[in-house]
mmCIF file of all heavy atoms in Angstrom:
data_model
loop_
_atom_site.group_PDB
_atom_site.id
_atom_site.type_symbol
_atom_site.label_atom_id
_atom_site.label_comp_id
_atom_site.label_asym_id
_atom_site.label_seq_id
_atom_site.Cartn_x
_atom_site.Cartn_y
_atom_site.Cartn_z
ATOM 1 N N LEU V 48 78.141 -9.026 -28.895
ATOM 2 C CA LEU V 48 77.095 -9.680 -29.683
ATOM 3 C C LEU V 48 76.410 -10.793 -28.895
ATOM 4 O O LEU V 48 75.213 -11.022 -29.028
ATOM 5 C CB LEU V 48 77.680 -10.281 -30.964
ATOM 6 C CG LEU V 48 78.149 -9.331 -32.048
ATOM 7 C CD1 LEU V 48 78.860 -10.110 -33.145
ATOM 8 C CD2 LEU V 48 76.995 -8.529 -32.608
ATOM 9 N N LEU V 49 77.191 -11.483 -28.087
ATOM 10 C CA LEU V 49 76.686 -12.661 -27.388
ATOM 11 C C LEU V 49 76.382 -12.393 -25.922
ATOM 12 O O LEU V 49 76.147 -13.336 -25.150
ATOM 13 C CB LEU V 49 77.705 -13.800 -27.518
ATOM 14 C CG LEU V 49 78.020 -14.218 -28.956
ATOM 15 C CD1 LEU V 49 79.128 -15.259 -28.981
ATOM 16 C CD2 LEU V 49 76.784 -14.701 -29.685
ATOM 17 N N LYS V 50 76.345 -11.129 -25.550
ATOM 18 C CA LYS V 50 76.099 -10.742 -24.157
ATOM 19 C C LYS V 50 74.791 -11.366 -23.660
ATOM 20 O O LYS V 50 73.755 -11.273 -24.296
ATOM 21 C CB LYS V 50 76.015 -9.221 -24.065
ATOM 22 C CG LYS V 50 75.959 -8.702 -22.667
ATOM 23 C CD LYS V 50 75.984 -7.191 -22.684
ATOM 24 C CE LYS V 50 76.044 -6.646 -21.276
ATOM 25 N NZ LYS V 50 76.204 -5.194 -21.289
ATOM 26 N N LEU V 52 74.104 -14.480 -23.440
ATOM 27 C CA LEU V 52 73.856 -15.815 -23.995
ATOM 28 C C LEU V 52 74.884 -16.799 -23.467
ATOM 29 O O LEU V 52 76.037 -16.438 -23.232
ATOM 30 C CB LEU V 52 73.928 -15.775 -25.525
ATOM 31 C CG LEU V 52 72.925 -14.857 -26.230
ATOM 32 C CD1 LEU V 52 73.223 -14.803 -27.714
ATOM 33 C CD2 LEU V 52 71.509 -15.347 -25.983
ATOM 34 N N LYS V 53 74.472 -18.033 -23.294
ATOM 35 C CA LYS V 53 75.398 -19.068 -22.850
ATOM 36 C C LYS V 53 76.049 -19.704 -24.075
ATOM 37 O O LYS V 53 75.446 -20.554 -24.729
ATOM 38 C CB LYS V 53 74.665 -20.103 -22.011
ATOM 39 C CG LYS V 53 74.185 -19.554 -20.695
ATOM 40 C CD LYS V 53 73.487 -20.599 -19.867
ATOM 41 C CE LYS V 53 73.009 -19.961 -18.573
ATOM 42 N NZ LYS V 53 72.330 -20.908 -17.713
ATOM 43 N N VAL V 54 77.267 -19.234 -24.368
ATOM 44 C CA VAL V 54 78.011 -19.729 -25.527
ATOM 45 C C VAL V 54 79.423 -20.055 -25.048
ATOM 46 O O VAL V 54 80.053 -19.246 -24.357
ATOM 47 C CB VAL V 54 78.065 -18.658 -26.642
ATOM 48 C CG1 VAL V 54 78.862 -19.147 -27.831
ATOM 49 C CG2 VAL V 54 76.653 -18.264 -27.071
ATOM 50 N N LEU V 62 82.928 -17.493 -33.977
ATOM 51 C CA LEU V 62 82.184 -16.332 -34.469
ATOM 52 C C LEU V 62 83.118 -15.140 -34.677
ATOM 53 O O LEU V 62 83.005 -14.436 -35.683
ATOM 54 C CB LEU V 62 81.043 -15.960 -33.522
ATOM 55 C CG LEU V 62 80.164 -14.797 -33.976
ATOM 56 C CD1 LEU V 62 79.496 -15.090 -35.327
ATOM 57 C CD2 LEU V 62 79.106 -14.477 -32.921
ATOM 58 N N TYR V 142 73.135 -6.235 -34.776
ATOM 59 C CA TYR V 142 73.484 -7.649 -34.951
ATOM 60 C C TYR V 142 73.116 -8.464 -33.711
ATOM 61 O O TYR V 142 72.689 -9.609 -33.825
ATOM 62 C CB TYR V 142 74.978 -7.820 -35.268
ATOM 63 C CG TYR V 142 75.259 -7.803 -36.751
ATOM 64 C CD1 TYR V 142 75.791 -6.680 -37.364
ATOM 65 C CD2 TYR V 142 74.992 -8.911 -37.540
ATOM 66 C CE1 TYR V 142 76.055 -6.660 -38.723
ATOM 67 C CE2 TYR V 142 75.244 -8.908 -38.897
ATOM 68 C CZ TYR V 142 75.778 -7.782 -39.488
ATOM 69 O OH TYR V 142 76.028 -7.767 -40.835
ATOM 70 N N ARG V 143 73.305 -7.898 -32.506
ATOM 71 C CA ARG V 143 72.961 -8.623 -31.284
ATOM 72 C C ARG V 143 71.487 -9.001 -31.286
ATOM 73 O O ARG V 143 71.117 -10.138 -30.989
ATOM 74 C CB ARG V 143 73.278 -7.796 -30.038
ATOM 75 C CG ARG V 143 72.988 -8.566 -28.745
ATOM 76 C CD ARG V 143 73.178 -7.748 -27.470
ATOM 77 N NE ARG V 143 74.388 -6.986 -27.426
ATOM 78 C CZ ARG V 143 74.446 -5.645 -27.368
ATOM 79 N NH1 ARG V 143 73.329 -4.930 -27.331
ATOM 80 N NH2 ARG V 143 75.591 -5.021 -27.323
ATOM 81 N N ALA V 144 70.617 -8.055 -31.631
ATOM 82 C CA ALA V 144 69.175 -8.326 -31.671
ATOM 83 C C ALA V 144 68.848 -9.415 -32.690
ATOM 84 O O ALA V 144 68.041 -10.318 -32.417
ATOM 85 C CB ALA V 144 68.411 -7.041 -31.994
ATOM 86 N N GLN V 145 69.502 -9.366 -33.854
ATOM 87 C CA GLN V 145 69.262 -10.381 -34.877
ATOM 88 C C GLN V 145 69.727 -11.758 -34.418
ATOM 89 O O GLN V 145 69.029 -12.758 -34.608
ATOM 90 C CB GLN V 145 69.982 -9.998 -36.172
ATOM 91 C CG GLN V 145 69.395 -8.790 -36.875
ATOM 92 C CD GLN V 145 70.195 -8.437 -38.115
ATOM 93 O OE1 GLN V 145 70.480 -9.304 -38.932
ATOM 94 N NE2 GLN V 145 70.566 -7.174 -38.257
ATOM 95 N N ILE V 146 70.917 -11.794 -33.813
ATOM 96 C CA ILE V 146 71.466 -13.071 -33.351
ATOM 97 C C ILE V 146 70.585 -13.669 -32.260
ATOM 98 O O ILE V 146 70.283 -14.869 -32.276
ATOM 99 C CB ILE V 146 72.922 -12.886 -32.871
ATOM 100 C CG1 ILE V 146 73.832 -12.652 -34.078
ATOM 101 C CG2 ILE V 146 73.399 -14.090 -32.063
ATOM 102 C CD1 ILE V 146 75.245 -12.213 -33.719
ATOM 103 N N GLN V 147 70.141 -12.849 -31.316
ATOM 104 C CA GLN V 147 69.297 -13.368 -30.242
ATOM 105 C C GLN V 147 67.981 -13.904 -30.788
ATOM 106 O O GLN V 147 67.476 -14.929 -30.316
ATOM 107 C CB GLN V 147 69.089 -12.300 -29.171
ATOM 108 C CG GLN V 147 70.369 -12.060 -28.392
ATOM 109 C CD GLN V 147 70.234 -11.036 -27.293
ATOM 110 O OE1 GLN V 147 69.246 -10.329 -27.178
ATOM 111 N NE2 GLN V 147 71.264 -10.952 -26.459
ATOM 112 N N LYS V 148 67.433 -13.245 -31.787
ATOM 113 C CA LYS V 148 66.193 -13.735 -32.401
ATOM 114 C C LYS V 148 66.433 -15.084 -33.091
ATOM 115 O O LYS V 148 65.645 -16.019 -32.935
ATOM 116 C CB LYS V 148 65.665 -12.721 -33.410
ATOM 117 C CG LYS V 148 64.370 -13.138 -34.059
ATOM 118 C CD LYS V 148 63.854 -12.096 -35.009
ATOM 119 C CE LYS V 148 62.573 -12.574 -35.667
ATOM 120 N NZ LYS V 148 62.071 -11.630 -36.649
ATOM 121 N N ILE V 149 67.522 -15.176 -33.840
ATOM 122 C CA ILE V 149 67.846 -16.427 -34.534
ATOM 123 C C ILE V 149 68.077 -17.555 -33.531
ATOM 124 O O ILE V 149 67.597 -18.671 -33.716
ATOM 125 C CB ILE V 149 69.085 -16.233 -35.442
ATOM 126 C CG1 ILE V 149 68.737 -15.318 -36.613
ATOM 127 C CG2 ILE V 149 69.623 -17.575 -35.941
ATOM 128 C CD1 ILE V 149 69.935 -14.814 -37.388
ATOM 129 N N LEU V 150 68.808 -17.235 -32.436
ATOM 130 C CA LEU V 150 69.130 -18.274 -31.453
ATOM 131 C C LEU V 150 67.927 -18.713 -30.635
ATOM 132 O O LEU V 150 67.974 -19.749 -29.969
ATOM 133 C CB LEU V 150 70.277 -17.814 -30.549
ATOM 134 C CG LEU V 150 71.630 -17.695 -31.249
ATOM 135 C CD1 LEU V 150 72.691 -17.194 -30.290
ATOM 136 C CD2 LEU V 150 72.042 -19.011 -31.896
ATOM 137 N N SER V 151 66.852 -17.962 -30.694
ATOM 138 C CA SER V 151 65.627 -18.412 -30.031
ATOM 139 C C SER V 151 64.934 -19.493 -30.873
ATOM 140 O O SER V 151 64.038 -20.174 -30.391
ATOM 141 C CB SER V 151 64.676 -17.234 -29.793
ATOM 142 O OG SER V 151 64.105 -16.796 -31.007
ATOM 143 N N GLN V 152 65.386 -19.643 -32.143
ATOM 144 C CA GLN V 152 64.754 -20.598 -33.051
ATOM 145 C C GLN V 152 65.662 -21.756 -33.458
ATOM 146 O O GLN V 152 65.190 -22.749 -33.979
ATOM 147 C CB GLN V 152 64.297 -19.861 -34.312
ATOM 148 C CG GLN V 152 63.322 -18.752 -34.034
ATOM 149 C CD GLN V 152 63.123 -17.835 -35.232
ATOM 150 O OE1 GLN V 152 63.750 -17.993 -36.272
ATOM 151 N NE2 GLN V 152 62.249 -16.855 -35.077
ATOM 152 N N ARG V 153 66.980 -21.595 -33.261
ATOM 153 C CA ARG V 153 67.914 -22.654 -33.661
ATOM 154 C C ARG V 153 69.118 -22.670 -32.731
ATOM 155 O O ARG V 153 69.353 -21.726 -32.014
ATOM 156 C CB ARG V 153 68.339 -22.518 -35.115
ATOM 157 C CG ARG V 153 69.048 -21.221 -35.471
ATOM 158 C CD ARG V 153 69.636 -21.230 -36.857
ATOM 159 N NE ARG V 153 68.638 -20.957 -37.872
ATOM 160 C CZ ARG V 153 68.920 -20.739 -39.129
ATOM 161 N NH1 ARG V 153 70.150 -20.768 -39.554
ATOM 162 N NH2 ARG V 153 67.974 -20.497 -40.003
ATOM 163 N N SER V 154 69.897 -23.727 -32.822
ATOM 164 C CA SER V 154 71.076 -23.872 -31.956
ATOM 165 C C SER V 154 72.201 -22.953 -32.438
ATOM 166 O O SER V 154 72.209 -22.503 -33.592
ATOM 167 C CB SER V 154 71.561 -25.316 -31.967
ATOM 168 O OG SER V 154 72.164 -25.619 -33.221
ATOM 169 N N PHE V 155 73.148 -22.721 -31.551
ATOM 170 C CA PHE V 155 74.281 -21.878 -31.925
ATOM 171 C C PHE V 155 75.094 -22.526 -33.041
ATOM 172 O O PHE V 155 75.547 -21.856 -33.957
ATOM 173 C CB PHE V 155 75.186 -21.581 -30.712
ATOM 174 C CG PHE V 155 76.187 -20.503 -31.013
ATOM 175 C CD1 PHE V 155 75.839 -19.169 -30.904
ATOM 176 C CD2 PHE V 155 77.466 -20.819 -31.428
ATOM 177 C CE1 PHE V 155 76.751 -18.163 -31.213
ATOM 178 C CE2 PHE V 155 78.382 -19.825 -31.730
ATOM 179 C CZ PHE V 155 78.029 -18.492 -31.618
ATOM 180 N N SER V 156 75.265 -23.839 -32.996
ATOM 181 C CA SER V 156 76.037 -24.516 -34.048
ATOM 182 C C SER V 156 75.339 -24.399 -35.401
ATOM 183 O O SER V 156 76.001 -24.222 -36.429
ATOM 184 C CB SER V 156 76.325 -25.974 -33.691
ATOM 185 O OG SER V 156 75.138 -26.679 -33.488
ATOM 186 N N ASP V 157 74.006 -24.460 -35.428
ATOM 187 C CA ASP V 157 73.272 -24.262 -36.686
ATOM 188 C C ASP V 157 73.443 -22.820 -37.187
ATOM 189 O O ASP V 157 73.632 -22.591 -38.379
ATOM 190 C CB ASP V 157 71.783 -24.552 -36.504
ATOM 191 C CG ASP V 157 71.478 -26.034 -36.353
ATOM 192 O OD1 ASP V 157 72.356 -26.866 -36.664
ATOM 193 O OD2 ASP V 157 70.358 -26.354 -35.903
ATOM 194 N N PHE V 158 73.357 -21.873 -36.269
ATOM 195 C CA PHE V 158 73.556 -20.460 -36.616
ATOM 196 C C PHE V 158 74.952 -20.250 -37.191
ATOM 197 O O PHE V 158 75.123 -19.613 -38.232
ATOM 198 C CB PHE V 158 73.342 -19.584 -35.378
ATOM 199 C CG PHE V 158 73.936 -18.213 -35.478
ATOM 200 C CD1 PHE V 158 73.372 -17.252 -36.315
ATOM 201 C CD2 PHE V 158 75.075 -17.880 -34.758
ATOM 202 C CE1 PHE V 158 73.933 -15.982 -36.420
ATOM 203 C CE2 PHE V 158 75.635 -16.623 -34.850
ATOM 204 C CZ PHE V 158 75.067 -15.671 -35.684
ATOM 205 N N LEU V 159 75.959 -20.799 -36.513
ATOM 206 C CA LEU V 159 77.340 -20.640 -36.953
ATOM 207 C C LEU V 159 77.546 -21.260 -38.333
ATOM 208 O O LEU V 159 78.191 -20.660 -39.208
ATOM 209 C CB LEU V 159 78.268 -21.290 -35.934
ATOM 210 C CG LEU V 159 79.687 -20.791 -35.836
ATOM 211 C CD1 LEU V 159 79.760 -19.285 -35.670
ATOM 212 C CD2 LEU V 159 80.402 -21.483 -34.689
#
Side-chain angles (χ1 to χ4, degrees):
L48 290 172
L49 301 175
K50 188 176 185 174
L52 300 174
K53 292 181 181 180
V54 179
L62 183 60
Y142 269 103
R143 183 185 314 117
Q145 291 178 49
I146 288 170
Q147 289 181 350
K148 182 178 178 183
I149 291 167
L150 291 178
S151 72
Q152 301 167 357
R153 60 171 80 171
S154 72
F155 191 84
S156 59
D157 287 345
F158 161 72
L159 205 52

